[in-house]
Amino acid sequence: MAKELNIQEATICPSTAQMLEKATKDGVETAFHRANDMKPCPIGMEGACCKNCSMGPCRMSTKSPYDKVGVCGATYDTIASRNFARMVAGGAAAHTDHGMAMLDIFKEVVKGNIPDYKIKDIDKLKYVAESIGIPVYIEKDDGTTQLRDVKDIALDLAEELEKTYTQVEGEIPFTKRVPPKTLEKWRELGIVPRGAMREIMELMHRTHMGVDQEYNNMTLHFMRTALSDGWGGSMVATEVSDILFGTPKAVRGEVDMGCLDEKQVNIIIHGHEPNLFESMIEGVNDPKNIEKAKSAGAEGINLVGMCCSGTEVLMRHGIPHVGNFMSTEAVIVTGAIDAMAVDVQCIKQALANLSSCYGTKFFTTNRRAKIEGATHIELDEHNPRECVDKIIDMAIDRFKNNRKAKIEIPQNRHMSIPGFSHEFINYMLGGRFRASYVPLNDNIINGRIRGVAGVVGCTNPRVKHDWVHLELVKELIKNNVLVVQTGCSAISLAKYGLMTPEAAAKYAGPGLAEVCETIGTPPVLNVGSCVDNSRILIACAEMVKTGGLGDKISDLPVAGAAPEWMSEKAISIGQYFVASGVYTVFGVNFPTIEGTKFHDLLFKGLDDLVGATWDFAKDPYEMAQKMIAHIDKKREALGIQEKKERKLFDMEDRRKLAV
Ligand code: SF4
Ligand code: MSK
């Protein structure tokens, strides 16, 4: 019999809790219930089970992992490092395949084969092209310069960026953005990534039975693979999406389930790639579709987002966002959703069944991701409106004919200010003509800002939903650490009001609050979806370039965390941050056993190689303390631990000058 779910222990999100109560009354279950009923396998959780061949599966003892070896003789360190490597491969493949899909669309748009999309941000196109050495201007015979044809720049860019995936030898294009000293270290270690296809293929080969059975060697290669995600596939996804759909700038955008409206046709887009959502925005604003909705008795069409698809358009257009990963089922329980359309990644299979319980139309739209029980309407990038209009029609039909389930919409909605792309942070700090990171670095040097933390990643029913994110971030900003966020974590914080400028006075320490009030920003910045962690890498590179904080990413007083992570993508992200030089702490659980050689390599040994390590803490306060201690250690090493203003050249200095 199913164990009773303690809702107060499951989530702190009032909307999700209200819907879990309703789910109980309605007799339906969610991932919270299933996690409550299913204990995680302790052996798998610690990376101690190998099923890479049919002589196994072989399970090591988690109490004494060196007591036995697998049938082939594989030790715990081999098994755990292979399992970890395969998680990196899975995560990196997801991000890079997403990036490649965006690049495919970009090429077709540039060639004029997709009239629905165009290059929206020419400045971004120029910036990205220049950053990897593609000429943007040509010199004319009379010595003056002229902007090249935009189409030519775009075609050159597409060709160059394709190497991110296919390059067999050499270094992928965005390594040109890596601070030189960090890149030098990678070259010494032999971990500068080639194309992601090559790295992932090699990683899958190495982890096959009987290949790489030396955990140090395995670790070097999964770091290389992770870097091909962070500085490769993910970065391409972000940059190309900005060029096509616009680079985010601060906008107002509401979050939480109160953004649903019983009187309108409610459509949710959930997943990751932004093109489905961008086309849906066009579709719901088409007067023909609005008219159809009105003739069905609705006041209009209410389009909202979830998960990272939602964050993409919250960032670019301020489209309301109704919840993160652990709220995707709860939102269906409202009964108010007429249609949910999904593309790829983080889509729970249970959504199909649950939707049918409430009469919600549930659509898959991507050829790579079908779900049993879902209606598949494939999105053809060349004619996206065909798919989108069909989904809108079916949503209107559900509104009109099948709203039989009792509707209950939690009345919680909160204002947030997302949109902090690297470009907007640059602009916000220095204005249009003096755009730069100098004010950020100066405020870190003078101690008003202690450091910067990236708090990112999923939500997970194995811990109290949203609570670990919220408490960690509150603790960090209270200690004057500026927080940047992506993915589901960003939505957690937006729901508790921390992504508004007013939150600075309420929650931030005095130094951070003063800086936020001066420039008018929240103390917690939403920089985008999970592929947009690449924006944080770019920000780190920019901080190094701006000066005063060392010459490598590993010198910066920064730290990363994924306190409620669940996906392989999170492991890949964590690994590319560590390999880039950012100390990173994970919560929930960590797939290694403390005291083993592989665990020690990840948690200590990597410091000698890349200047950063992994760490683990379940408790948000302990996690914050670890991150702050790391930031302080870096400040100490930089000689900026004592609070001091940047000294201007004063009269006394002048008098000391020998004339
Ligand atoms: Fe067991 Fe070795 Fe096969 Fe893994 S590869 S299942 S450890 S025999
Ligand atoms: S959606 S990977 S649950 S952040 Fe990007 Fe959220 Fe994690 Fe998926």
Side-chain angles (χ1 to χ4, degrees), residues 272 307-308 325 346 457-459 487-488 530 566-567 569:
H272 279 79
C307 246
C308 283
F325 176 68
C346 305
C458 328
T459 49
C488 292
C530 43
M566 64 86 199
S567 75
K569 289 184 292 170

Side-chain angles (χ1 to χ4, degrees), residues 50-58 60 70-74 79 82 209-210:
C50 180
K51 52 183 179 61
N52 290 12
C53 85
S54 75
M55 293 190 285
C58 301
M60 304 298 106
V71 174
C72 66
I79 291 170
R82 275 199 302 228
M209 188 271 154

Side-chain angles (χ1 to χ4, degrees), residues 361-381:
K361 304 266 174 93
F362 184 68
F363 302 101
T364 50
T365 61
N366 194 289
R367 66 176 170 78
R368 301 136 130 175
K370 293 189 178 181
I371 297 178
E372 220 181 309
T375 305
H376 188 75
I377 303 182
E378 199 150 308
L379 182 91
D380 170 5
E381 291 84 5

Side-chain angles (χ1 to χ4, degrees), residues 25-246:
K25 278 185 252 152
D26 295 350
V28 297
E29 61 164 34
T30 66
F32 287 105
H33 301 87
R34 292 185 292 274
N36 197 39
D37 285 338
M38 190 189 292
K39 262 190 151 177
C41 163
I43 299 172
M45 193 163 76
E46 308 217 57
C49 169
C50 180
K51 52 183 179 61
N52 290 12
C53 85
S54 75
M55 293 190 285
C58 301
R59 294 175 301 162
M60 304 298 106
S61 154
T62 54
K63 297 268 179 301
S64 45
Y66 293 127
D67 273 5
K68 57 179 176 177
V69 293
V71 174
C72 66
T75 61
Y76 170 78
D77 297 306
T78 294
I79 291 170
S81 64
R82 275 199 302 228
N83 287 334
F84 197 86
R86 286 201 167 188
M87 291 179 89
V88 170
H95 282 149
T96 50
D97 196 38
H98 168 167
M100 197 154 183
M102 289 302 108
L103 191 60
D104 287 344
I105 292 175
F106 177 63
K107 282 189 288 190
E108 286 296 275
V109 172
V110 177
K111 288 178 192 156
N113 296 337
I114 307 184
D116 285 62
Y117 306 143
K118 61 178 183 353
I119 292 178
K120 247 196 191 152
D121 192 340
I122 293 175
D123 284 343
K124 178 92 189 210
L125 172 77
K126 291 193 299 192
Y127 160 74
V128 178
E130 274 184 322
S131 77
I132 54 170
I134 293 171
V136 166
Y137 295 95
I138 38 169
E139 202 166 320
K140 296 201 297 186
D141 292 344
D142 62 3
T144 57
T145 52
Q146 185 189 332
L147 183 67
R148 287 176 67 205
D149 185 60
V150 168
K151 186 174 175 182
D152 291 342
I153 301 172
L155 284 172
D156 286 353
L157 181 64
E159 193 183 332
E160 190 61 17
L161 288 184
E162 196 153 70
K163 294 181 184 162
T164 305
Y165 306 100
T166 56
Q167 189 168 330
V168 174
E169 281 305 333
E171 301 177 352
I172 54 172
F174 281 140
T175 49
K176 294 193 176 68
R177 293 173 160 189
V178 179
K181 289 281 177 192
T182 301
L183 187 59
E184 207 177 292
K185 194 81 210 147
W186 294 356
R187 284 183 182 143
E188 252 172 55
L189 295 169
I191 60 169
V192 185
R194 302 160 295 179
M197 288 176 174
R198 178 102 206 236
E199 301 305 3
I200 294 165
M201 178 174 66
E202 184 174 322
L203 194 54
M204 292 309 284
H205 177 195
R206 282 179 185 235
T207 54
H208 186 276
M209 188 271 154
V211 186
D212 197 356
Q213 291 159 99
E214 206 286 318
Y215 66 97
N216 290 287
N217 202 40
M218 181 76 77
T219 301
L220 286 174
H221 191 70
F222 67 61
M223 288 206 286
R224 192 178 193 183
T225 306
L227 290 171
S228 78
D229 170 358
W231 296 88
S234 281
M235 202 171 275
V236 170
T238 299
E239 300 297 63
V240 166
S241 300
D242 282 357
I243 294 169
L244 284 176
F245 305 120

